[in-house]
């Protein structure tokens, strides 16, 4: 799987409406939001793949706008992805010049979509 194919799949899975929502969270346009989505997909790929591979049912209905994996308990792979969001948000905020809180909010929208995309890819194998 190439990075470009992954990026395109995540952007397609987000759809126009959620990409616009990410742009709104970042205070930017959809072109810049797509750039952040690409960077986020690359940065979160490993922990998201672990969540997708674990096929954890507690994620259903618990991936919220306010916090990824809230209520899933301690020690799950979803918790690992949730912990990865902070450092990735800081790195992307530094790279893009966007406030970290805005980037973290966008990542909470992007992360579950990335998990879904990776899960679908894994299921096709």
């Amino acid at each position: 799987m190439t990075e470009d194919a992954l990026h395109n799949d995540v952007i397609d899975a987000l759809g126009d409406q959620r990409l616009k929502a990410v742009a709104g969270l970042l205070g930017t346009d959809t072109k810049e939001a797509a750039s952040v989505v690409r960077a986020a997909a690359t940065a979160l790929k490993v922990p998201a793949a672990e969540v997708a591979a674990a096929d954890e049912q507690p994620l259903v209905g618990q991936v919220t706008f306010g916090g990824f994996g809230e209520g899933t308990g301690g020690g799950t792979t979803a918790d690992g992805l949730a912990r990865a969001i902070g450092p990735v948000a800081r790195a992307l905020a530094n790279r893009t010049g966007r406030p970290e809180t805005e980037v973290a909010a966008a990542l909470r929208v992007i992360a579950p979509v990335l998990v879904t995309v990776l899960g679908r890819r894994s299921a096709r194998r």
Side-chain angles (χ1 to χ4, degrees):
M1 142 179 48
T2 67
E3 289 296 306
D4 286 340
L6 175 63
H7 298 161
N8 292 337
D9 286 352
V10 173
I11 290 169
D12 288 345
L14 277 169
D16 289 339
Q17 201 157 355
R18 281 190 283 187
L19 186 59
K20 287 178 185 175
V22 169
L25 290 168
L26 295 170
T28 190
D29 60 19
T30 55
K31 183 178 178 180
E32 178 65 25
S35 176
V36 172
V37 169
R38 286 181 190 91
T42 297
L44 291 172
K45 184 169 72 173
V46 171
E50 291 172 2
V51 172
D55 191 29
E56 291 185 330
Q57 292 305 314
L59 289 176
V60 177
Q62 295 188 7
V63 178
T64 65
F65 212 70
F68 183 80
E70 284 182 336
T72 59
T76 67
T77 52
D79 291 336
L81 182 54
R83 282 189 299 274
I85 286 177
V88 170
R90 277 188 290 285
L92 289 177
N94 288 335
R95 184 173 146 208
T96 63
R98 300 266 173 228
E100 186 178 329
T101 56
E102 291 176 2
V103 175
L107 290 178
R108 289 185 191 102
V109 174
I110 298 164
V113 174
L114 176 60
V115 169
T116 300
V117 167
L118 292 170
R120 286 180 188 155
R121 286 173 171 228
S122 178
R124 285 191 299 239
R125 290 186 196 165

